[in-house]
Amino acid sequence: MKRDHWAGKPISPISIARGMTITQLVDDVFDGMGYNAKRLAEACHLFKTMIDDNSTVCLTLAGAMSPVGLGGGIIKMIENGFIDWIVTTGANTYHDMHFAYGLPVHQGDFTADDNELAENDVVRIYDVFIDMERTLIAQDKIIQTLTRKAIEKNQLPEKYSTACYYKMLGNGVLETSKHPERSFIASAAKHDVPVFVPAFADSSVGMGTSYLPIIACAKSGSKKLASQDFVDPSPTMDALESAAIVHHSMINNVPRGVLEVGGGVPKNFLQQTAPMISQILGIECPGENYVIQVTVDRPDSGGLSGATINEGKSWGKIPKAGEGNVVPYLDSTVGVPIIFAYALENCKPRKPKRFGRILPDITQELVEAAITKVEK
């Protein structure tokens, strides 16, 4: 065996030139380096592969990325057909809507005096400042109004998922906001991209909608909460509908990919779809073909946010460990815009899959396939 049998291509000092494009930066600089520069180049290339293979692509978005403007990149991905469904936190959906309604969100200072900020009704997300009255409370009222009107018009069925709720809310943003083009929730509704928020109660959206039954009581003079006034997305529907998207793609021989921004509940919710189909429903499902996770979390502390993608093989979340996945350990606000920009420079727009239109049908498709397994 030759000594250089295990060696890759030679590393040379990087060559930075004036006027470099994102593609040149990724392909000519990052790809020839090591560490997370190399992993980021691999992530860009893998995301391009997902798109070129016409994969069903899911974006999982943890934390609060929308307050710093990342939603603008997500909108571009939706408009170009590069993202087919989304799993995120309530925080991202809540702060996303500020921009559509022109509610102030400003750069701040992470060294600011938080006691002074609190005295002036300013909330802080690291170095982002948000006004309590003009933004948060104003946003709460908008969400409550849109939701109350949907209830009054019977726009929410008896049993519905968070994807159904956010379709309604996104349509409301499209209809009532000054700048709907600045909201990824509105863009998702327009292009029938389902948005799941499995930890619905863990956000200002959940907090705000939980107030609606109390308002109804006050108006009616009753002191008892009425079930018809509750905003109550079904966790069962979330689990079935998300699994249905994966199952429908699988039985139609469509590859499946995911870009995970951070970890948390969104990451796990997406990755549980394959075990849901195989372990619970008894239908063989090998998991996601392609996985990218951009994270800064360590894998050795027991948290899902840092768990490696390869670990998912033992759970049936991926077909084979060591293939089709990459984890750049980077701040998402740095790595993800580069991945998005690389895709825009190198991939042709795709026809939207519009899963939002067919969710009831493909969910029934999954249910019927699972029933045959129970009968056997």
Side-chain angles (χ1 to χ4, degrees):
M1 184 181 296
K2 294 182 179 180
R3 172 178 260 178
D4 62 354
H5 176 76
W6 297 104
K9 65 182 181 182
I11 293 177
S12 300
I14 63 174
S15 178
I16 301 291
R18 294 180 185 274
M20 292 184 77
T21 64
I22 287 291
T23 298
Q24 290 170 331
L25 182 65
V26 170
D27 291 350
D28 300 339
V29 178
F30 293 163
D31 197 38
M33 299 176 69
Y35 311 146
N36 284 303
K38 175 64 175 175
R39 301 294 85 72
L40 179 56
E42 291 174 347
C44 290
H45 298 154
L46 187 55
F47 192 56
K48 180 179 183 299
T49 297
M50 292 185 204
I51 295 167
D52 291 346
D53 281 357
N54 199 32
S55 303
T56 294
V57 178
C58 180
L59 172 72
T60 73
L61 189 68
M65 294 289 101
S66 59
V68 292
L70 192 62
I74 298 170
I75 291 167
K76 285 295 183 184
M77 295 300 100
I78 292 172
E79 290 175 344
N80 282 272
F82 296 164
I83 290 175
D84 302 305
W85 62 298
I86 296 171
V87 184
T88 188
T89 60
N92 279 313
T93 64
Y94 179 72
H95 295 299
D96 165 76
M97 288 182 278
H98 302 338
F99 303 102
Y101 289 95
L103 307 179
V105 179
H106 292 113
Q107 290 180 330
D109 185 349
F110 68 91
T111 65
D113 185 331
D114 288 293
N115 292 314
E116 184 177 350
L117 292 177
E119 289 174 2
N120 287 276
D121 286 335
V122 175
V123 302
R124 179 172 73 90
I125 307 175
Y126 190 60
D127 61 353
V128 176
F129 289 172
I130 303 177
D131 188 278
M132 174 66 76
E133 185 73 31
R134 292 185 299 156
T135 303
L136 300 189
I137 293 178
Q139 188 69 76
D140 294 338
K141 292 178 180 177
I142 291 168
I143 292 170
Q144 289 165 359
T145 298
L146 293 176
T147 304
R148 188 173 66 250
K149 287 182 178 179
I151 293 173
E152 291 171 352
K153 294 180 179 179
N154 295 316
Q155 293 177 342
L156 293 172
E158 183 178 356
K159 291 292 182 183
Y160 58 94
S161 64
T162 54
C164 177
Y165 175 81
Y166 276 98
K167 171 68 172 176
M168 175 278 297
L169 199 59
N171 284 337
V173 176
L174 286 169
E175 294 168 3
T176 66
S177 70
K178 293 181 180 179
H179 306 287
E181 73 281 356
R182 303 179 71 186
S183 163
F184 81 80
I185 295 302
S187 181
K190 181 179 179 179
H191 294 87
D192 294 301
V193 172
V195 177
F196 292 92
V197 181
F200 182 79
D202 184 29
S203 72
S204 292
V205 179
M207 290 159 52
T209 54
S210 69
Y211 186 52
L212 293 180
I214 297 174
I215 295 175
C217 282
K219 288 184 175 180
S220 67
S222 171
K223 292 185 178 181
K224 292 185 178 180
L225 300 179
S227 59
Q228 66 266 22
D229 299 316
F230 277 70
V231 178
D232 198 13
S234 166
T236 300
M237 291 299 296
D238 273 13
L240 287 173
E241 288 185 355
S242 58
I245 294 173
V246 174
H247 175 260
H248 181 75
S249 300
M250 179 184 71
I251 64 175
N252 286 283
N253 297 313
V254 177
R256 298 162 308 284
V258 55
L259 172 59
E260 298 173 349
V261 181
V265 170
K267 173 186 176 181
N268 191 72
F269 185 80
L270 174 279
Q271 290 195 342
Q272 77 177 15
T273 52
M276 170 72 180
I277 295 168
S278 57
Q279 178 183 335
I280 305 300
L281 302 181
I283 303 168
E284 185 177 351
C285 179
E288 299 296 310
N289 301 97
Y290 308 116
V291 184
I292 300 165
Q293 182 182 10
V294 183
T295 185
V296 293
D297 291 301
R298 291 170 45 179
D300 58 352
S301 60
L304 192 280
S305 295
T308 63
I309 304 303
N310 288 331
E311 183 179 310
K313 169 59 181 174
S314 62
W315 294 86
K317 297 176 180 178
I318 58 173
K320 189 173 182 179
E323 293 184 7
N325 66 78
V326 61
V327 183
Y329 287 93
L330 294 168
D331 184 329
S332 295
T333 63
V334 177
V336 174
I338 292 175
I339 294 172
F340 285 169
Y342 188 88
L344 288 172
E345 284 188 5
N346 291 278
C347 301
K348 295 180 180 179
R350 304 192 308 178
K351 182 180 179 180
K353 290 186 170 62
R354 296 194 180 276
F355 283 116
R357 290 185 179 179
I358 61 172
L359 264 182
D361 294 333
I362 64 175
T363 302
Q364 185 60 34
E365 178 182 68
L366 174 63
V367 169
E368 290 176 5
I371 288 172
T372 63
K373 295 293 183 178
V374 174
E375 291 174 345
K376 291 179 180 179

